[in-house]
C-alpha cells in the first residue's frame, strides 16, 4: 500500500511511500497569485495530479488547515481550497482520502503539541528520516499518523516499524 501525506500551505510538504518501507519526502512551492485563488488552486491541482499519476498512492491524507492568529479571508480561502482540491482529486481517481488533525499528529510524533517545527524535525530524525524542512517533517508526521490510524482500523501494526525504539541504531522511545 502506498500512502501520501500532505502538509498543505503555500509551500506544500509531502511524504509518500510504501507502508512496509517508509516515506520519501519533499516539497513544492506554489506560485504567488495574490487575490487570484483560481490560479493558485489550479497550480496545486496540476502538481497533485502529476504526483498521483506518477506515484499511484492508495491513500492520501492531508493535515487539516490551521489558521494563524492574524489571517486574511484570502488565506482562509486558499487553505480551504487546498483541502477541497485534494478531496476532489482523490475522488476523481478513486483514491481513499482523509484529513489529519494537526494537534493529534504533533502529539503522536513528539509527545506534545505546539507550533514549533523543530520538534517535528527532531521526531523525523529519531526515525532516520533526515528532513530539515518543517513542511516536509509535518508531511512525514501526517504519513505516519495516518498509517497508525489505518493500523487501528485493520488490526495491523505497520506503524510500529517506524517508532524510534525499533529504528536501526536508535535505542530510545519517542522524542
Amino acid at each position: 500500500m502506498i500512502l501520501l501525506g500532505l502538509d498543505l500551505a503555500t509551500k506544500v510538504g509531502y511524504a509518500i511511500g510504501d507502508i512496509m518501507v517508509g516515506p520519501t519526502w519533499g516539497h513544492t512551492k506554489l506560485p504567488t497569485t495574490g487575490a487570484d485563488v483560481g490560479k493558485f488552486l489550479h497550480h496545486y491541482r496540476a502538481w497533485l495530479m502529476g504526483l498521483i499519476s506518477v506515484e499511484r498512492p492508495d491513500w492520501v491524507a492531508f493535515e487539516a488547515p490551521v489558521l494563524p492568529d492574524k489571517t486574511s479571508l484570502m488565506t482562509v480561502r486558499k487553505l480551504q481550497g487546498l483541502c477541497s482540491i485534494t478531496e476532489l482529486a482523490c475522488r476523481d481517481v478513486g483514491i481513499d482520502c482523509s484529513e489529519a488533525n494537526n494537534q493529534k499528529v504533533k502529539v503522536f510524533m513528539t509527545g506534545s503539541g505546539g507550533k514549533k517545527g523543530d520538534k517535528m524535525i527532531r521526531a523525523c530524525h529519531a526515525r532516520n528520516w533526515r528532513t530539515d524542512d518543517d513542511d516536509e517533517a509535518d508531511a512525514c508526521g501526517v504519513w505516519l499518523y495516518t498509517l497508525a490510524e489505518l493500523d487501528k482500523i485493520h488490526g495491523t501494526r505497520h506503524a510500529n516499524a517506524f517508532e524510534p525504539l525499533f529504528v536501526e541504531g536508535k535505542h530510545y522511545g519517542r522524542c
Side-chain angles (χ1 to χ4, degrees):
M1 174 185 205
I2 305 295
L3 176 61
L4 170 61
L6 297 167
D7 175 44
L8 300 177
T10 304
K11 185 170 80 172
V12 178
Y14 64 90
I16 188 160
D18 187 293
I19 63 171
M20 303 299 284
V21 177
T24 57
W25 50 85
H27 66 269
T28 189
K29 183 122 174 73
L30 297 175
T32 302
T33 62
D36 192 343
V37 178
K39 183 177 181 181
F40 179 80
L41 295 176
H42 172 78
H43 281 278
Y44 171 67
R45 187 173 198 285
W47 171 82
L48 178 62
M49 293 307 289
L51 183 66
I52 286 172
S53 70
V54 169
E55 299 292 341
R56 301 193 182 283
D58 300 293
W59 195 286
V60 174
F62 60 92
E63 190 177 69
V66 177
L67 300 177
D69 294 332
K70 294 180 181 180
T71 191
S72 68
L73 180 57
M74 192 59 55
T75 299
V76 172
R77 288 182 61 207
K78 287 180 176 181
L79 287 174
Q80 292 295 332
L82 292 171
C83 296
S84 297
I85 292 295
T86 302
E87 290 179 298
L88 285 171
C90 288
R91 181 171 281 289
D92 285 349
V93 295
I95 298 173
D96 289 316
C97 184
S98 61
E99 182 178 73
N101 177 282
N102 178 283
Q103 191 71 9
K104 288 181 180 179
V105 170
K106 290 191 185 321
V107 168
F108 175 81
M109 290 291 286
T110 69
S112 66
K115 295 182 181 179
K116 292 206 172 202
D118 58 333
K119 278 182 150 182
M120 289 295 283
I121 290 170
R122 285 195 311 272
C124 286
H125 288 188
R127 291 163 173 87
N128 284 337
W129 298 345
R130 298 290 173 203
T131 178
D132 291 319
D133 180 279
D134 60 333
D135 297 298
E136 293 172 3
D138 286 352
C140 287
V142 169
W143 187 91
L144 187 55
Y145 174 82
T146 302
L147 179 55
E149 291 297 302
L150 291 171
D151 280 347
K152 288 179 192 175
I153 293 168
H154 299 291
T156 55
R157 305 185 102 196
H158 299 297
N160 285 353
F162 305 105
E163 282 304 306
L165 268 173
F166 301 105
V167 173
E168 186 177 13
K170 300 292 181 182
H171 305 287
Y172 50 87
R174 290 192 177 173
C175 52

